[in-house]
Amino acid sequence: MSQFDEPLSVLFVCLGNICRSPTAQAVFEQQLQAAGLREQVRVDSAGTGDWHIGHAPDPRSVRAAARRGYAMEHLRARQVSRQDFHDFDYILAMDDSNHRDLKRLQPSDGKAALSLFLPWAPALNEREVPDPYYGGEDGFDAVLDLIEQASDALLNHLRQRL
Ligand code: 4NP
């Protein structure tokens, strides 16, 4: 039996857990809320790296999200663990490097379906959410554009499982 009550669970993973994956968490939680499914799906995010454990999201991510009405400043970074593969149904990687690191961590008996996030929206025709950390503010808007579309597609998929 699960220690959690929600029927489904999703974990978004990037490198630092301060830009892309907390953005995905905030966007997806709001889409679930709008769809009346917030209580049906547990959502979390984590990083493959340990540099930012306990840190708030990058202020540039917070600002870009706030411009579109998403709140994420309350989130705090954590590192992904092997246990997450037992606790989540879906683990969604932001880029190929994250995906490779997660495959190395994945226990053989974990329940989580591990995949890249963007291919959930085939119309995007993109594999990776580019790391915005070393770029300018516009990179953070580009991250949101991709995440909003992939979240929408993921939500449509999950609806069929609820
Ligand atoms: P994220 O972005 O993986 O989207 O959270 C990054 C955040 C921090 C670093 C790299 C990427 N860093 O090198 O500290």
Side-chain angles (χ1 to χ4, degrees), residues 18-52:
I18 57 169
C19 300
R20 293 165 293 176
S21 62
T23 299
Q25 179 178 353
V27 168
F28 194 54
E29 284 180 350
Q30 186 152 315
Q31 288 189 354
L32 286 167
Q33 182 80 35
L37 297 171
R38 185 66 197 90
E39 306 304 318
Q40 307 283 306
V41 186
R42 182 162 45 92
V43 186
D44 197 5
S45 65
T48 57
D50 62 1
W51 312 283
H52 296 286

Side-chain angles (χ1 to χ4, degrees), residues 57-127:
D58 189 300
R60 297 166 296 176
S61 288
V62 174
R63 280 197 296 274
R67 285 195 292 272
R68 300 189 191 195
Y70 305 110
M72 56 185 286
E73 61 272 17
H74 59 288
L75 301 175
R76 293 295 176 268
R78 72 170 179 90
Q79 190 173 26
V80 69
S81 72
R82 286 168 69 81
Q83 183 62 39
D84 286 319
F85 287 87
H86 299 290
D87 292 344
F88 288 87
D89 297 305
Y90 294 86
I91 297 183
L92 302 169
M94 295 294 139
D95 65 29
D96 284 320
S97 170
N98 310 146
H99 195 205
R100 276 195 300 277
D101 289 342
L102 286 164
K103 274 188 196 158
R104 275 196 287 273
L105 191 64
Q106 185 172 31
S108 56
D109 60 345
K111 71 169 177 176
L114 171 62
S115 71
L116 282 167
F117 179 36
L118 293 190
W120 282 97
L124 274 176
N125 210 17
E126 299 277 355
R127 290 177 61 78

